[in-house]
Structure formats: structure tokens, C-alpha cells
């Protein structure tokens, strides 16, 4: 037995939405690009992201589009195209899964891997990830590798774009402590302000506060969190998701049914329940299918793929009824079911 610390990798795509737009339209490369709202900088809305050229003008995420326009009127302003970003997101995550199946999906452009059991060196793993993502999507990412999620996430942000930062526990003092407190995961604007009021600006200064003081200021659990986090301590596990393949409902009638109205009403009811399940679990679907089993056990399915991912009751009901229209109901129906497939976690 030998002691081995965990090896957690955090991958964060560079200027993600903007980078995808540049791939769609290479003429944009090297020019300032701002993504946000409907893409009209004279209308209300905020910047989702800006590429690195546009950031030179001071443009950043969450800034009003109008302000961004004032800072750089010659930038290209584009609407948000979630469909393309989601596709690129799935693509780069499928590359990550070739390294290890232990992946936490942390957002549209970021993920954690637990590579403790992967035998290659961190440098080789990082280079495989970067090359794989580049080949598959044409995009670059920044990578942080550390003994835990907290440090890995901080590390991936230290050398952007196209960066690689490997942090060890012994680097806490030299790498973590000089950073401003807002770089510490879990410090939002409120605690940041509170800490600044007592002249705590860096993670190192935070680490100099005794635990009792932190608990006095922030309560037991958050105080303890800040105490540990400022020392680079974090044992939180990766949250790996099991993704359902479909969400469905079906019903077998007490007696076989011939009445179209009853069939249609039942389908509407089942669809409603499927939509409620989707909304509760935060999934959107691209494909809706129905299943009809007749009294003689002949079973038919019909599917309709929609133009985008949705959890809209209206769209899903329409798709289900479009499927029903394609079934010739010339025999009594024993069972009817509806299924939403091609699922994806909805963006908040
Ligand atoms: P980030 O990873 O924070 O930003 P980024 O990928 O654009 O740039 P960086 O190179 O610094 O990582 O967020 C990922 C995407 O999420 C970003 O491209 C757009 C979207 N986003 C918003 O829509 N609103 C926001 O306020 C932020 C921060 C991000
Ligand atoms: Mg990013």
C-alpha cells in the first residue's frame, strides 16, 4: 500500500460562446466579438461573453450590451445560439470521457475529471485532452490539475487561454495565497465585501484569520469552509451524473378502446405528465415518440424530432399529436405511451 493523493482535472473552454462563433464564421477570428441577447447592441440585454480581442476594450460577461457598444462600437455583436454551444459542449465532453468515465459535468463549458487512477503523467493527460478537443471541435481550453476540485478550478483559471496549471498541496503558499479572495470558489459578492471591510483582500490574509473569528463572522459551516478553503483543503467528491435515456409514461386501458377522443385525451394527459417530469428533473428533449399497442398486441411506434431541445408543454404535445396522426387507428387500442428522448440537461 502506498499513499496516493487524488488527481482532479478541471477543464474550462476559452471564451466559449465566442470561440464557437469564430469556428462558425472564421472571418471573425482576430476581431473583437461580443455575444449576448439578440445580438443588437442598441437593445436591452447583457453580454454573455466576449472574445479576448473584445476584452481588451474592457468588455466582460454580464455587462449591458449598450455599455459594450460604447466601449467598442466596431465589435461584431452576435445573438446567443445555444444550439451550437450545446453541440460543442457535448463534443468536448465526449473527448474527456475517453480519458476516464469519472466526469462531473460542471456547466456548459467546464467539467471535472477524477484521473487518480489514470497511469499517464499529468502533462500527457493534459496534452491528450487539448489535442482531442482541438481535433474534435477546433477549440482551445484551459486545464487545471490539483489534488482536489477547489484547487483544480482555481488552477484552470490561472493561465488563460490555452493554459495548463498543475498545483500541488505544497504550492498553497506560493500560488494560492497571493490571489484575491474572489478567486476562491464559494466567495460571492457579499462575503467578499464583508471581508474587504475588515481589510482581507487575498486568500493568504483570509488564511491568517483564526477559525473562531471566521465562525464568529460567518457562522459554523461557512466559517469552517473558508478556513479550509483558504488552506487549499477540499475533500468534496465529483458529482457524476447518470443521464436518463428517456422520460416516458404509458397506460394500458382497462378495456381496449376504439374511441379516438378517448385515445387523444389519454395521450394529452400522458404528455402532460412527461413534460412535468422533464421540468422537475431539468431535462429538455429533442425527440418525442408514441407507442400504440392494439388489442392483438401489434405494436407501433412513431417519432418526431423537433428543431431544438425543449420542455415546452405546447411543443411536446404538438409533436406527440403529429405522431398520433401517422397511426391508422383501425383496431381497438390496448396501450398507449409517450416518450421524450434525445434528452439534455436544460440550461438555466
Ligand atoms: P466562462 O467560462 O466564465 O467564460 P468564457 O468561456 O467565455 O471565457 P474564459 O476563457 O474566461 O473561460 O463562461 C462560459 C460561457 O458561459 C461563456 O462563453 C458564456 C456563458 N456565460 C454567460 O452566458 N453569462 C455569464 O455571465 C458568464 C460568466 C458566462
Ligand atoms: Mg470558459
Amino acid at each position: 500500500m502506498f499513499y496516493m493523493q487524488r488527481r482532479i482535472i478541471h477543464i474550462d473552454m476559452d471564451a466559449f460562446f465566442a470561440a464557437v462563433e469564430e469556428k462558425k464564421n472564421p472571418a471573425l477570428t482576430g476581431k473583437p466579438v461580443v455575444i449576448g441577447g439578440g445580438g443588437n447592441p442598441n437593445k436591452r440585454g447583457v453580454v454573455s461573453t466576449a472574445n479576448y480581442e473584445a476584452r481588451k476594450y474592457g468588455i466582460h460577461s454580464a455587462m449591458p450590451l449598450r455599455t459594450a457598444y460604447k466601449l467598442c462600437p466596431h465589435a461584431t455583436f452576435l445573438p446567443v445560439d445555444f444550439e451550437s454551444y450545446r453541440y460543442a459542449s457535448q463534443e468536448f465532453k465526449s473527448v474527456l470521457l475517453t480519458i476516464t468515465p469519472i466526469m462531473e459535468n460542471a456547466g456548459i463549458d467546464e467539467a471535472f475529471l477524477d484521473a487518480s487512477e489514470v497511469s499517464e503523467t499529468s502533462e500527457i493527460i493534459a496534452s491528450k485532452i487539448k489535442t482531442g478537443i482541438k481535433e474534435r471541435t477546433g477549440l482551445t481550453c484551459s486545464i487545471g490539475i490539483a489534488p482536489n476540485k477547489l484547487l483544480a478550478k482555481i488552477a484552470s483559471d490561472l493561465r488563460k487561454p490555452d493554459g495548463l496549471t498543475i498545483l500541488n498541496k505544497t504550492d498553497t503558499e506560493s500560488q494560492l495565497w497571493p490571489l484575491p479572495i474572489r478567486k476562491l470558489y464559494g466567495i460571492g459578492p457579499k462575503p467578499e465585501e464583508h471581508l474587504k471591510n475588515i481589510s482581507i483582500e487575498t486568500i493568504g490574509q483570509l488564511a491568517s484569520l483564526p477559525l473562531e473569528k471566521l465562525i464568529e463572522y460567518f457562522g459554523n459551516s461557512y466559517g469552517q469552509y473558508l478556513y479550509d478553503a483558504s488552506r487549499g483543503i477540499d475533500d468534496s467528491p465529483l458529482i457524476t451524473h447518470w443521464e436518463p435515456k428517456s422520460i416516458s409514461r404509458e397506460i394500458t386501458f382497462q378495456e381496449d378502446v376504439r374511441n379516438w377522443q378517448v385515445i387523444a385525451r389519454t395521450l394529452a394527459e400522458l404528455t402532460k405528465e412527461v413534460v412535468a417530469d422533464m421540468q422537475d428533473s431539468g431535462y429538455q428533449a429533442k425527440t418525442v415518440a408514441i407507442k400504440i399497442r392494439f388489442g392483438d398486441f401489434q405494436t407501433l411506434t412513431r417519432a418526431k424530432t423537433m428543431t431544438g431541445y425543449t420542455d415546452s408543454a405546447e411543443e411536446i404535445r404538438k409533436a406527440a399529436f403529429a405522431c398520433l396522426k401517422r397511426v391508422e387507428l383501425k383496431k381497438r387500442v390496448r396501450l398507449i405511451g409517450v416518450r421524450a428522448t434525445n434528452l439534455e440537461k436544460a440550461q438555466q
Side-chain angles (χ1 to χ4, degrees), residues 205-241:
Q205 290 168 341
L206 180 61
S208 75
L209 291 179
L211 179 59
E212 304 76 63
K213 276 267 171 267
L214 287 168
I215 288 178
E216 185 189 317
Y217 292 145
F218 298 104
N220 254 319
S221 73
Y222 192 53
Q224 181 72 52
Y225 171 79
L226 291 176
Y227 184 84
D228 289 339
S230 64
R231 285 163 179 71
I233 298 169
D234 165 40
D235 294 325
S236 58
L238 266 66
I239 301 162
T240 52
H241 286 284

Side-chain angles (χ1 to χ4, degrees), residues 69-327:
Y69 183 74
K70 279 183 201 141
L71 289 170
C72 184
H74 68 279
T76 303
F77 288 81
L78 294 172
V80 174
D81 171 12
F82 265 118
E83 190 84 7
S84 300
Y85 314 147
R86 267 195 212 124
Y87 180 74
S89 180
Q90 284 176 342
E91 291 285 293
F92 94 79
K93 282 167 194 163
S94 70
V95 173
L96 300 182
L97 289 170
T98 65
I99 305 290
T100 169
I102 312 172
M103 177 175 88
E104 175 175 334
N105 200 341
I108 192 161
D109 93 323
E110 56 178 309
F112 291 96
L113 295 178
D114 186 334
S116 308
E117 306 285 323
V118 179
S119 57
E120 283 122 331
T121 65
S122 295
E123 287 81 359
I124 289 177
I125 298 174
S127 129
K128 279 190 176 171
I129 293 174
K130 280 177 183 276
T131 318
I133 292 181
K134 185 87 197 183
E135 275 172 7
R136 187 89 176 236
T137 65
L139 304 174
T140 63
C141 64
S142 293
I143 297 179
I145 305 183
N148 58 48
K149 285 166 72 178
L150 178 85
L151 291 174
K153 184 159 168 92
I154 290 173
S156 70
D157 196 43
L158 290 179
R159 297 188 179 85
K160 258 189 170 289
D162 204 11
L164 167 63
T165 305
I166 300 174
L167 286 184
N168 294 303
K169 280 213 168 106
T170 49
D171 296 329
T172 301
E173 218 165 299
S174 63
Q175 305 283 314
L176 184 64
W177 285 1
L179 299 174
I181 43 174
R182 74 180 143 73
K183 294 270 176 190
L184 203 58
Y185 183 77
I187 298 198
K190 268 198 179 157
E192 185 185 7
E193 202 187 311
H194 189 147
L195 287 164
K196 284 192 168 161
N197 286 340
I198 52 169
S199 301
I200 302 292
E201 305 264 347
T202 66
I203 299 176
Q205 290 168 341
L206 180 61
S208 75
L209 291 179
L211 179 59
E212 304 76 63
K213 276 267 171 267
L214 287 168
I215 288 178
E216 185 189 317
Y217 292 145
F218 298 104
N220 254 319
S221 73
Y222 192 53
Q224 181 72 52
Y225 171 79
L226 291 176
Y227 184 84
D228 289 339
S230 64
R231 285 163 179 71
I233 298 169
D234 165 40
D235 294 325
S236 58
L238 266 66
I239 301 162
T240 52
H241 286 284
W242 174 79
E243 300 278 345
K245 285 209 160 49
S246 65
I247 295 175
S248 63
R249 281 282 204 287
E250 61 180 44
I251 191 167
T252 303
F253 293 111
Q254 293 291 325
E255 275 172 48
D256 297 352
V257 174
R258 180 134 222 184
N259 183 330
W260 190 88
Q261 299 266 344
V262 175
I263 292 166
R265 214 182 308 128
T266 309
L267 181 65
E269 205 49 50
L270 294 171
T271 305
K272 229 192 247 172
E273 289 176 19
V274 165
V275 168
D277 273 4
M278 288 168 64
Q279 292 172 348
D280 288 349
S281 56
Y283 281 94
Q284 297 189 328
K286 203 171 173 183
T287 305
V288 174
I290 67 161
K291 173 161 87 177
I292 302 265
R293 177 168 295 150
F294 295 105
D296 60 2
F297 279 84
Q298 184 202 3
T299 307
L300 298 176
T301 58
R302 295 286 182 268
K304 181 167 172 62
T305 294
M306 298 168 290
T307 49
Y309 290 90
T310 181
D311 60 2
S312 141
E314 169 79 9
E315 278 182 63
I316 290 170
R317 192 184 49 80
K318 269 192 194 153
F321 275 84
C323 294
L324 182 63
K325 260 197 203 140
R326 287 161 41 212
V327 179

Side-chain angles (χ1 to χ4, degrees), residues 47-74:
V47 174
S48 293
T49 197
N51 69 356
Y52 283 74
E53 283 70 23
R55 290 183 200 188
K56 290 178 191 155
Y57 295 83
I59 299 173
H60 57 77
S61 297
M63 167 183 277
L65 283 169
R66 286 188 180 124
T67 313
Y69 183 74
K70 279 183 201 141
L71 289 170
C72 184
H74 68 279

